[in-house]
Amino acid sequence: MYRLFIVEDDEGIAGEVAALAESWDFEVSVCRDLRSVTAEFARVNPHVVLLDIALPFFNGYHWCSEIRKLSQVPIMFISSASDNMSIVMAMDMGGDDFIAKPFDANVLMAKLRSLLRRSYDFAPSAPVLEHRGAFLNTGDSTLLYGRERLELTRNEYRILHCLMENRGRTVSRETLMERLWETDCFVDDNTLSVNVNRLRKKLEGIGLRDFITTRVGMGYMLN
């Protein structure tokens, strides 16, 4: 079942498209906070995005470029502005397709399914994990925070990935060491501490202070 993420400020249109997509066996999520589109995108981890251009706070072009920093997920723009300049702008900002309002429901579904076939017959998207506005891209092992992109070593990535998968919960040192062993890199208790401290310094360097909390005698968790 494909996950569709709808970013549309008209609740009537969003509801109609959601109901239609669900009848075509899509799993649908509608963005509820148009100030935090990328955070909701990371939480949903969709296979395809339906993105309106005219949105409050920031327009669809802005959110398309923000999503493109995290993922190559296919994006279809929808807009009542169907002039050539709007279409060109949508494609230049990273969009994959465009449909003008008002649109025929069957045409919309056909275009979405065609976009999914073109995208996932060749390159499935890598999921993105998010915490406190920091986005971990599992495709290239980088962390994006604001305008900063952090390159992570293999061990740093494994540690952060495990913590972000379990955000809100304490992860034991033993669990983290087992995760690092999966990379054929045997680590002891001291080596884990060195890796965590190095990761903390990197995170602080891009403004993420106190991102990882030590739970004495228990392990680590995201703050």
Short mmCIF file of all heavy atoms in Angstrom, two decimals, residues 133-189:
data_model
loop_
_atom_site.label_atom_id
_atom_site.label_comp_id
_atom_site.label_asym_id
_atom_site.label_seq_id
_atom_site.Cartn_x
_atom_site.Cartn_y
_atom_site.Cartn_z
N GLY A 133 13.62 18.98 14.73
CA GLY A 133 13.96 19.71 13.53
C GLY A 133 15.20 19.21 12.82
O GLY A 133 15.62 19.79 11.82
N ALA A 134 15.80 18.14 13.32
CA ALA A 134 16.95 17.51 12.67
C ALA A 134 16.46 16.30 11.89
O ALA A 134 15.68 15.50 12.40
CB ALA A 134 17.99 17.09 13.70
N PHE A 135 16.93 16.17 10.65
CA PHE A 135 16.45 15.12 9.76
C PHE A 135 17.61 14.19 9.38
O PHE A 135 18.61 14.62 8.81
CB PHE A 135 15.86 15.73 8.49
CG PHE A 135 14.67 16.63 8.75
CD1 PHE A 135 14.84 17.96 9.04
CD2 PHE A 135 13.39 16.10 8.73
CE1 PHE A 135 13.76 18.78 9.29
CE2 PHE A 135 12.29 16.91 8.98
CZ PHE A 135 12.48 18.26 9.27
N LEU A 136 17.47 12.91 9.72
CA LEU A 136 18.49 11.91 9.39
C LEU A 136 18.07 11.21 8.11
O LEU A 136 17.04 10.53 8.07
CB LEU A 136 18.63 10.91 10.53
CG LEU A 136 19.70 9.83 10.33
CD1 LEU A 136 21.11 10.46 10.31
CD2 LEU A 136 19.61 8.76 11.42
N ASN A 137 18.87 11.39 7.06
CA ASN A 137 18.59 10.76 5.78
C ASN A 137 19.27 9.39 5.75
O ASN A 137 20.49 9.29 5.76
CB ASN A 137 19.12 11.64 4.63
CG ASN A 137 18.63 11.15 3.28
OD1 ASN A 137 18.53 9.96 3.04
ND2 ASN A 137 18.34 12.08 2.39
N THR A 138 18.45 8.33 5.72
CA THR A 138 19.01 6.98 5.76
C THR A 138 19.57 6.55 4.41
O THR A 138 20.18 5.50 4.30
CB THR A 138 17.94 5.97 6.21
OG1 THR A 138 16.85 5.98 5.28
CG2 THR A 138 17.42 6.32 7.60
N GLY A 139 19.36 7.37 3.39
CA GLY A 139 19.90 7.03 2.08
C GLY A 139 21.37 7.37 1.95
O GLY A 139 22.15 6.59 1.38
N ASP A 140 21.78 8.53 2.50
CA ASP A 140 23.18 8.93 2.35
C ASP A 140 23.88 9.15 3.70
O ASP A 140 25.00 9.67 3.74
CB ASP A 140 23.30 10.20 1.49
CG ASP A 140 22.59 11.40 2.11
OD1 ASP A 140 22.14 11.30 3.27
OD2 ASP A 140 22.49 12.44 1.44
N SER A 141 23.23 8.75 4.79
CA SER A 141 23.84 8.81 6.13
C SER A 141 24.27 10.23 6.52
O SER A 141 25.33 10.43 7.10
CB SER A 141 25.04 7.86 6.22
OG SER A 141 24.66 6.54 5.92
N THR A 142 23.43 11.21 6.21
CA THR A 142 23.72 12.59 6.60
C THR A 142 22.60 13.10 7.49
O THR A 142 21.48 12.59 7.47
CB THR A 142 23.85 13.52 5.37
OG1 THR A 142 22.62 13.50 4.63
CG2 THR A 142 25.00 13.08 4.47
N LEU A 143 22.92 14.14 8.27
CA LEU A 143 21.94 14.79 9.14
C LEU A 143 21.78 16.22 8.68
O LEU A 143 22.78 16.95 8.52
CB LEU A 143 22.40 14.75 10.60
CG LEU A 143 21.39 15.30 11.60
CD1 LEU A 143 20.30 14.26 11.86
CD2 LEU A 143 22.08 15.66 12.92
N LEU A 144 20.54 16.64 8.45
CA LEU A 144 20.25 18.00 8.02
C LEU A 144 19.59 18.75 9.17
O LEU A 144 18.60 18.28 9.73
CB LEU A 144 19.34 18.00 6.80
CG LEU A 144 19.01 19.37 6.20
CD1 LEU A 144 20.23 19.94 5.49
CD2 LEU A 144 17.84 19.27 5.23
N TYR A 145 20.14 19.92 9.50
CA TYR A 145 19.55 20.76 10.54
C TYR A 145 19.65 22.20 10.08
O TYR A 145 20.75 22.76 9.97
CB TYR A 145 20.28 20.58 11.87
CG TYR A 145 19.70 21.38 13.01
CD1 TYR A 145 18.42 21.14 13.48
CD2 TYR A 145 20.44 22.40 13.61
CE1 TYR A 145 17.88 21.88 14.52
CE2 TYR A 145 19.92 23.14 14.66
CZ TYR A 145 18.63 22.88 15.11
OH TYR A 145 18.08 23.61 16.13
N GLY A 146 18.49 22.81 9.80
CA GLY A 146 18.50 24.15 9.22
C GLY A 146 19.22 24.14 7.89
O GLY A 146 18.89 23.36 7.00
N ARG A 147 20.25 24.97 7.77
CA ARG A 147 21.03 25.02 6.54
C ARG A 147 22.30 24.16 6.62
O ARG A 147 23.11 24.16 5.70
CB ARG A 147 21.42 26.47 6.22
CG ARG A 147 20.22 27.37 5.92
CD ARG A 147 20.67 28.77 5.56
NE ARG A 147 19.53 29.63 5.23
CZ ARG A 147 18.97 29.69 4.04
NH1 ARG A 147 19.45 28.95 3.05
NH2 ARG A 147 17.94 30.50 3.82
N GLU A 148 22.47 23.46 7.75
CA GLU A 148 23.67 22.66 7.95
C GLU A 148 23.44 21.20 7.58
O GLU A 148 22.42 20.62 7.94
CB GLU A 148 24.12 22.74 9.42
CG GLU A 148 24.41 24.14 9.92
CD GLU A 148 25.71 24.68 9.37
OE1 GLU A 148 26.54 23.89 8.90
OE2 GLU A 148 25.88 25.92 9.40
N ARG A 149 24.39 20.63 6.84
CA ARG A 149 24.35 19.20 6.53
C ARG A 149 25.57 18.55 7.14
O ARG A 149 26.70 18.93 6.85
CB ARG A 149 24.32 18.98 5.01
CG ARG A 149 24.20 17.49 4.63
CD ARG A 149 24.18 17.31 3.12
NE ARG A 149 22.99 17.91 2.54
CZ ARG A 149 21.82 17.29 2.43
NH1 ARG A 149 21.68 16.06 2.88
NH2 ARG A 149 20.79 17.89 1.88
N LEU A 150 25.35 17.56 8.00
CA LEU A 150 26.42 16.93 8.76
C LEU A 150 26.74 15.55 8.17
O LEU A 150 25.86 14.69 8.06
CB LEU A 150 26.00 16.78 10.22
CG LEU A 150 27.05 16.34 11.23
CD1 LEU A 150 28.19 17.34 11.29
CD2 LEU A 150 26.41 16.17 12.60
N GLU A 151 27.99 15.36 7.79
CA GLU A 151 28.45 14.06 7.32
C GLU A 151 28.81 13.21 8.54
O GLU A 151 29.55 13.65 9.42
CB GLU A 151 29.69 14.22 6.43
CG GLU A 151 29.45 15.06 5.19
CD GLU A 151 28.63 14.35 4.13
OE1 GLU A 151 28.55 13.10 4.19
OE2 GLU A 151 28.07 15.03 3.26
N LEU A 152 28.27 11.99 8.58
CA LEU A 152 28.48 11.11 9.73
C LEU A 152 29.35 9.92 9.34
O LEU A 152 29.23 9.39 8.23
CB LEU A 152 27.13 10.60 10.25
CG LEU A 152 26.13 11.66 10.71
CD1 LEU A 152 24.77 11.01 10.96
CD2 LEU A 152 26.61 12.38 11.96
N THR A 153 30.21 9.50 10.29
CA THR A 153 30.94 8.25 10.07
C THR A 153 29.95 7.09 10.20
O THR A 153 28.82 7.25 10.66
CB THR A 153 32.06 8.08 11.10
OG1 THR A 153 31.47 7.91 12.41
CG2 THR A 153 32.98 9.29 11.12
N ARG A 154 30.40 5.90 9.83
CA ARG A 154 29.52 4.74 9.89
C ARG A 154 29.03 4.49 11.32
O ARG A 154 27.84 4.24 11.54
CB ARG A 154 30.26 3.50 9.36
CG ARG A 154 29.40 2.24 9.32
CD ARG A 154 30.11 1.12 8.59
NE ARG A 154 31.37 0.76 9.26
CZ ARG A 154 32.14 -0.24 8.86
NH1 ARG A 154 31.81 -0.94 7.80
NH2 ARG A 154 33.26 -0.52 9.51
N ASN A 155 29.94 4.57 12.30
CA ASN A 155 29.54 4.34 13.68
C ASN A 155 28.63 5.44 14.20
O ASN A 155 27.65 5.17 14.90
CB ASN A 155 30.77 4.21 14.58
CG ASN A 155 31.44 2.85 14.46
OD1 ASN A 155 30.94 1.96 13.78
ND2 ASN A 155 32.59 2.70 15.11
N GLU A 156 28.94 6.69 13.87
CA GLU A 156 28.09 7.80 14.31
C GLU A 156 26.69 7.67 13.74
O GLU A 156 25.69 7.89 14.44
CB GLU A 156 28.71 9.13 13.87
CG GLU A 156 29.98 9.49 14.60
CD GLU A 156 30.77 10.58 13.93
OE1 GLU A 156 30.40 10.99 12.80
OE2 GLU A 156 31.77 11.04 14.51
N TYR A 157 26.62 7.28 12.47
CA TYR A 157 25.31 7.11 11.84
C TYR A 157 24.52 5.99 12.53
O TYR A 157 23.33 6.14 12.81
CB TYR A 157 25.47 6.80 10.35
CG TYR A 157 24.20 6.32 9.70
CD1 TYR A 157 23.17 7.22 9.41
CD2 TYR A 157 23.99 4.97 9.42
CE1 TYR A 157 21.98 6.78 8.85
CE2 TYR A 157 22.81 4.54 8.85
CZ TYR A 157 21.81 5.44 8.57
OH TYR A 157 20.64 5.00 8.02
N ARG A 158 25.18 4.87 12.80
CA ARG A 158 24.49 3.74 13.44
C ARG A 158 23.96 4.13 14.82
O ARG A 158 22.84 3.77 15.19
CB ARG A 158 25.46 2.55 13.57
CG ARG A 158 25.77 1.86 12.25
CD ARG A 158 24.72 0.84 11.93
NE ARG A 158 25.04 0.10 10.72
CZ ARG A 158 24.42 -1.01 10.34
NH1 ARG A 158 23.46 -1.50 11.10
NH2 ARG A 158 24.73 -1.61 9.22
N ILE A 159 24.76 4.85 15.58
CA ILE A 159 24.33 5.28 16.92
C ILE A 159 23.12 6.21 16.82
O ILE A 159 22.11 6.02 17.51
CB ILE A 159 25.49 5.98 17.66
CG1 ILE A 159 26.59 4.98 18.00
CG2 ILE A 159 24.98 6.66 18.94
CD1 ILE A 159 27.89 5.62 18.46
N LEU A 160 23.23 7.22 15.96
CA LEU A 160 22.15 8.20 15.84
C LEU A 160 20.89 7.57 15.27
O LEU A 160 19.77 7.87 15.71
CB LEU A 160 22.61 9.37 14.97
CG LEU A 160 21.73 10.62 15.00
CD1 LEU A 160 21.53 11.12 16.42
CD2 LEU A 160 22.34 11.72 14.14
N HIS A 161 21.05 6.68 14.31
CA HIS A 161 19.90 5.99 13.71
C HIS A 161 19.14 5.20 14.78
O HIS A 161 17.91 5.23 14.86
CB HIS A 161 20.36 5.08 12.58
CG HIS A 161 19.25 4.46 11.80
ND1 HIS A 161 18.65 3.27 12.17
CD2 HIS A 161 18.61 4.87 10.67
CE1 HIS A 161 17.69 2.97 11.29
NE2 HIS A 161 17.64 3.92 10.38
N CYS A 162 19.89 4.47 15.61
CA CYS A 162 19.26 3.67 16.66
C CYS A 162 18.53 4.56 17.67
O CYS A 162 17.41 4.26 18.08
CB CYS A 162 20.33 2.84 17.37
SG CYS A 162 19.67 1.65 18.57
N LEU A 163 19.15 5.69 18.05
CA LEU A 163 18.51 6.60 19.00
C LEU A 163 17.27 7.25 18.41
O LEU A 163 16.25 7.41 19.09
CB LEU A 163 19.51 7.66 19.45
CG LEU A 163 20.68 7.18 20.32
CD1 LEU A 163 21.68 8.30 20.53
CD2 LEU A 163 20.17 6.64 21.65
N MET A 164 17.33 7.62 17.12
CA MET A 164 16.18 8.28 16.50
C MET A 164 15.04 7.30 16.25
O MET A 164 13.87 7.67 16.29
CB MET A 164 16.60 8.99 15.21
CG MET A 164 17.51 10.19 15.49
SD MET A 164 17.92 11.19 14.05
CE MET A 164 16.41 12.16 13.86
N GLU A 165 15.37 6.05 15.99
CA GLU A 165 14.33 5.03 15.87
C GLU A 165 13.59 4.84 17.20
O GLU A 165 12.42 4.46 17.21
CB GLU A 165 14.96 3.69 15.46
CG GLU A 165 15.24 3.53 13.99
CD GLU A 165 15.76 2.15 13.67
OE1 GLU A 165 16.51 1.57 14.49
OE2 GLU A 165 15.43 1.62 12.59
N ASN A 166 14.30 5.08 18.29
CA ASN A 166 13.73 4.84 19.62
C ASN A 166 13.54 6.15 20.39
O ASN A 166 13.60 6.14 21.63
CB ASN A 166 14.67 3.92 20.41
CG ASN A 166 14.73 2.53 19.84
OD1 ASN A 166 13.87 1.70 20.08
ND2 ASN A 166 15.78 2.26 19.05
N ARG A 167 13.30 7.26 19.67
CA ARG A 167 13.15 8.55 20.35
C ARG A 167 12.00 8.47 21.37
O ARG A 167 10.95 7.91 21.10
CB ARG A 167 12.92 9.68 19.35
CG ARG A 167 11.83 9.46 18.33
CD ARG A 167 11.97 10.51 17.22
NE ARG A 167 11.01 10.33 16.15
CZ ARG A 167 11.18 9.51 15.12
NH1 ARG A 167 12.27 8.76 15.05
NH2 ARG A 167 10.27 9.42 14.16
N GLY A 168 12.29 9.04 22.55
CA GLY A 168 11.34 8.96 23.65
C GLY A 168 11.61 7.80 24.58
O GLY A 168 10.98 7.70 25.64
N ARG A 169 12.55 6.91 24.18
CA ARG A 169 12.89 5.75 25.01
C ARG A 169 14.40 5.71 25.25
O ARG A 169 15.18 6.16 24.42
CB ARG A 169 12.44 4.45 24.35
CG ARG A 169 10.95 4.35 24.12
CD ARG A 169 10.56 2.95 23.69
NE ARG A 169 11.11 2.60 22.40
CZ ARG A 169 10.50 2.84 21.24
NH1 ARG A 169 9.31 3.44 21.22
NH2 ARG A 169 11.05 2.48 20.09
N THR A 170 14.79 5.12 26.37
CA THR A 170 16.21 4.94 26.66
C THR A 170 16.73 3.72 25.91
O THR A 170 16.09 2.67 25.90
CB THR A 170 16.43 4.73 28.17
OG1 THR A 170 15.96 5.89 28.87
CG2 THR A 170 17.91 4.51 28.48
N VAL A 171 17.88 3.89 25.27
CA VAL A 171 18.53 2.79 24.55
C VAL A 171 19.75 2.37 25.36
O VAL A 171 20.61 3.20 25.68
CB VAL A 171 18.97 3.21 23.13
CG1 VAL A 171 19.65 2.05 22.41
CG2 VAL A 171 17.76 3.70 22.33
N SER A 172 19.84 1.09 25.70
CA SER A 172 20.94 0.63 26.54
C SER A 172 22.26 0.66 25.77
O SER A 172 22.29 0.60 24.53
CB SER A 172 20.68 -0.80 27.02
OG SER A 172 20.76 -1.71 25.93
N ARG A 173 23.37 0.74 26.50
CA ARG A 173 24.68 0.70 25.88
C ARG A 173 24.89 -0.62 25.15
O ARG A 173 25.51 -0.67 24.09
CB ARG A 173 25.77 0.92 26.95
CG ARG A 173 25.73 2.31 27.57
CD ARG A 173 26.79 2.45 28.67
NE ARG A 173 28.14 2.32 28.14
CZ ARG A 173 28.84 3.34 27.66
NH1 ARG A 173 28.32 4.57 27.64
NH2 ARG A 173 30.06 3.16 27.22
N GLU A 174 24.35 -1.69 25.72
CA GLU A 174 24.49 -3.00 25.08
C GLU A 174 23.81 -3.02 23.71
O GLU A 174 24.35 -3.57 22.74
CB GLU A 174 23.89 -4.10 25.98
CG GLU A 174 24.66 -4.36 27.26
CD GLU A 174 24.45 -3.29 28.33
OE1 GLU A 174 23.48 -2.49 28.19
OE2 GLU A 174 25.26 -3.24 29.27
N THR A 175 22.62 -2.41 23.62
CA THR A 175 21.91 -2.36 22.33
C THR A 175 22.71 -1.58 21.30
O THR A 175 22.82 -1.99 20.14
CB THR A 175 20.53 -1.71 22.52
OG1 THR A 175 19.74 -2.51 23.39
CG2 THR A 175 19.80 -1.57 21.18
N LEU A 176 23.30 -0.46 21.73
CA LEU A 176 24.10 0.34 20.80
C LEU A 176 25.35 -0.41 20.35
O LEU A 176 25.71 -0.37 19.17
CB LEU A 176 24.49 1.67 21.45
CG LEU A 176 23.35 2.69 21.60
CD1 LEU A 176 23.83 3.89 22.39
CD2 LEU A 176 22.81 3.12 20.25
N MET A 177 25.99 -1.12 21.26
CA MET A 177 27.18 -1.89 20.87
C MET A 177 26.81 -3.00 19.90
O MET A 177 27.53 -3.27 18.94
CB MET A 177 27.88 -2.44 22.12
CG MET A 177 28.64 -1.35 22.88
SD MET A 177 29.73 -1.97 24.19
CE MET A 177 28.52 -2.45 25.42
N GLU A 178 25.66 -3.64 20.12
CA GLU A 178 25.20 -4.68 19.19
C GLU A 178 24.93 -4.09 17.81
O GLU A 178 25.22 -4.71 16.78
CB GLU A 178 23.94 -5.36 19.73
CG GLU A 178 24.20 -6.26 20.93
CD GLU A 178 22.92 -6.76 21.55
OE1 GLU A 178 21.82 -6.46 21.00
OE2 GLU A 178 22.98 -7.44 22.59
N ARG A 179 24.38 -2.86 17.78
CA ARG A 179 24.12 -2.21 16.49
C ARG A 179 25.44 -1.93 15.76
O ARG A 179 25.52 -2.09 14.54
CB ARG A 179 23.34 -0.92 16.72
CG ARG A 179 22.99 -0.15 15.46
CD ARG A 179 22.04 -0.94 14.56
NE ARG A 179 20.74 -1.10 15.16
CZ ARG A 179 19.70 -0.27 14.97
NH1 ARG A 179 19.85 0.78 14.16
NH2 ARG A 179 18.56 -0.51 15.54
N LEU A 180 26.46 -1.54 16.49
CA LEU A 180 27.75 -1.28 15.86
C LEU A 180 28.42 -2.58 15.41
O LEU A 180 29.12 -2.60 14.40
CB LEU A 180 28.67 -0.52 16.83
CG LEU A 180 28.22 0.88 17.23
CD1 LEU A 180 29.25 1.53 18.12
CD2 LEU A 180 27.94 1.75 16.02
N TRP A 181 28.20 -3.65 16.14
CA TRP A 181 28.78 -4.93 15.73
C TRP A 181 28.22 -5.39 14.39
O TRP A 181 28.86 -6.15 13.66
CB TRP A 181 28.50 -6.00 16.79
CG TRP A 181 29.22 -5.78 18.08
CD1 TRP A 181 30.32 -5.00 18.29
CD2 TRP A 181 28.86 -6.31 19.36
NE1 TRP A 181 30.68 -5.01 19.62
CE2 TRP A 181 29.81 -5.80 20.31
CE3 TRP A 181 27.85 -7.15 19.81
CZ2 TRP A 181 29.75 -6.13 21.67
CZ3 TRP A 181 27.80 -7.48 21.16
CH2 TRP A 181 28.73 -6.98 22.08
N GLU A 182 27.01 -4.93 14.04
CA GLU A 182 26.42 -5.31 12.75
C GLU A 182 27.25 -4.82 11.59
O GLU A 182 27.12 -5.29 10.46
CB GLU A 182 25.00 -4.74 12.64
CG GLU A 182 24.01 -5.37 13.61
CD GLU A 182 22.66 -4.68 13.58
OE1 GLU A 182 22.46 -3.80 12.70
OE2 GLU A 182 21.81 -5.02 14.41
N THR A 183 28.11 -3.83 11.82
CA THR A 183 28.98 -3.30 10.77
C THR A 183 30.33 -4.02 10.74
O THR A 183 31.26 -3.56 10.10
CB THR A 183 29.24 -1.79 10.99
OG1 THR A 183 30.00 -1.62 12.20
CG2 THR A 183 27.94 -1.02 11.08
N ASP A 184 30.42 -5.17 11.48
CA ASP A 184 31.67 -5.92 11.58
C ASP A 184 32.76 -5.11 12.29
O ASP A 184 33.95 -5.31 12.05
CB ASP A 184 32.19 -6.35 10.19
CG ASP A 184 31.20 -7.28 9.49
OD1 ASP A 184 30.57 -8.08 10.19
OD2 ASP A 184 31.08 -7.19 8.26
N CYS A 185 32.34 -4.17 13.12
CA CYS A 185 33.29 -3.35 13.87
C CYS A 185 33.06 -3.62 15.36
O CYS A 185 32.13 -3.09 15.96
CB CYS A 185 33.08 -1.87 13.54
SG CYS A 185 34.14 -0.76 14.51
N PHE A 186 33.90 -4.48 15.94
CA PHE A 186 33.72 -4.81 17.36
C PHE A 186 34.11 -3.60 18.20
O PHE A 186 35.18 -3.02 18.02
CB PHE A 186 34.56 -6.02 17.76
CG PHE A 186 34.41 -6.38 19.20
CD1 PHE A 186 33.30 -7.11 19.63
CD2 PHE A 186 35.33 -5.96 20.14
CE1 PHE A 186 33.14 -7.43 20.97
CE2 PHE A 186 35.17 -6.28 21.49
CZ PHE A 186 34.07 -7.01 21.89
N VAL A 187 33.24 -3.21 19.10
CA VAL A 187 33.52 -2.08 20.00
C VAL A 187 33.32 -2.53 21.44
O VAL A 187 32.46 -3.36 21.74
CB VAL A 187 32.62 -0.87 19.70
CG1 VAL A 187 32.88 -0.33 18.31
CG2 VAL A 187 31.14 -1.20 19.88
N ASP A 188 34.14 -1.97 22.32
CA ASP A 188 33.94 -2.22 23.74
C ASP A 188 33.26 -1.01 24.37
O ASP A 188 32.90 -0.05 23.69
CB ASP A 188 35.27 -2.54 24.43
CG ASP A 188 36.31 -1.44 24.26
OD1 ASP A 188 35.91 -0.30 23.93
OD2 ASP A 188 37.50 -1.71 24.43
N ASP A 189 33.10 -1.06 25.69
CA ASP A 189 32.37 -0.01 26.39
C ASP A 189 33.05 1.35 26.23
O ASP A 189 32.39 2.37 26.02
CB ASP A 189 32.26 -0.38 27.87
CG ASP A 189 31.12 0.34 28.57
OD1 ASP A 189 29.96 0.14 28.17
OD2 ASP A 189 31.40 1.12 29.50
#
